[in-house]
Amino acid sequence: MRKASIAFVMVGLLLLAVPVLAQSNTIVVEISGVNRGDEGDILRVASVDVDAGMIGWLCSGTAQTENHASEHPDNDFILTSGSSSTEILDWEAGAGESTNMSGTLVLGESITVDLRLGPRGVSSGGVRIVLTCSPPPPSETTTTTTSPTTTTTRPETTTTTTPPQTTTIPPGDTTTTEPPPVGGVSAGGGATAGGGQEVAVLWLTGGALVLLSSATLVARQRLSGRE
């Protein structure tokens, strides 16, 4: 039974007609015919080439069913182009419905459409896939302006700090200078003691008076002898 089903599917694929219309930025893929298999089987139902000028374009799409006689839930389309892939899920759940593609397709050199069968294992076809494509937005160019760097060299200033010198006098070697005692020799000051100059003046004055008295006395004696 399974071999017969596979053979029937192969015949259905051979009879599949896939006209493709390319109108500027729109790609239309029409799929007809009956496909059968087991739940989860993936069948290639279409393959189209992409115009070289549209490679790299971004496409969004819908699947519009035209078969109003039958409904087959959980049938999915898998669209692949280059390294990009997206899906149109459960597109045959209701007759005459339009189902959106789940993501964005980036165009490569060709587009393939695979059918993944649901639990009923059958697809009636009669569906149109419409891809609306547009060039990718231009890449943003970021210009970085680097301001010139100004380097200012300051003259080097060398500061030398001389630590204060400290002289330490060992204990016992302390020198104390005291002022001389006041009062002359009698006070223990000697000639260098305070008041020494006044004593010397008194001595000289007294000596002069004695000499003067002696001279006067001698002169009087000489005068008396002459008389």
Side-chain angles (χ1 to χ4, degrees), residues 172-189:
D173 294 339
T174 303
T175 302
T176 303
T177 303
E178 297 181 356
V182 180
V185 177
S186 62

Side-chain angles (χ1 to χ4, degrees), residues 18-130:
V18 189
V20 179
L21 303 177
Q23 300 176 356
S24 63
N25 62 344
T26 301
I27 299 176
V28 178
V29 181
E30 292 184 350
I31 299 173
S32 61
V34 177
N35 293 281
R36 298 181 182 274
D38 294 333
E39 180 181 2
D41 284 350
I42 297 177
L43 310 174
R44 178 66 50 84
V45 293
S47 179
V48 297
D49 294 331
V50 175
D51 185 272
M54 296 180 65
I55 294 177
W57 285 25
L58 308 179
C59 302
S60 59
T62 60
Q64 177 69 51
T65 58
E66 298 176 350
N67 185 352
H68 302 287
S70 60
E71 296 178 355
H72 305 290
D74 296 326
N75 286 342
D76 304 327
F77 282 134
I78 303 172
L79 287 76
T80 303
S81 186
S83 59
S84 177
S85 180
T86 186
E87 298 178 344
I88 302 177
L89 302 175
D90 200 16
W91 59 271
E92 206 173 359
E97 292 186 357
S98 177
T99 307
N100 293 327
M101 193 164 64
S102 61
T104 301
L105 187 68
V106 182
L107 292 181
E109 295 180 352
S110 63
I111 302 172
T112 59
V113 181
D114 294 328
L115 170 65
R116 181 168 56 211
L117 292 175
R120 295 186 180 181
V122 61
S123 173
S124 298
V127 59
R128 175 187 294 237
I129 298 175
V130 180

Side-chain angles (χ1 to χ4, degrees), residues 137-154:
S139 58
E140 296 182 359
T141 303
T142 303
T143 303
T144 303
T145 303
T146 303
S147 302
T149 302
T150 302
T151 303
T152 303
T153 304
R154 297 182 179 180

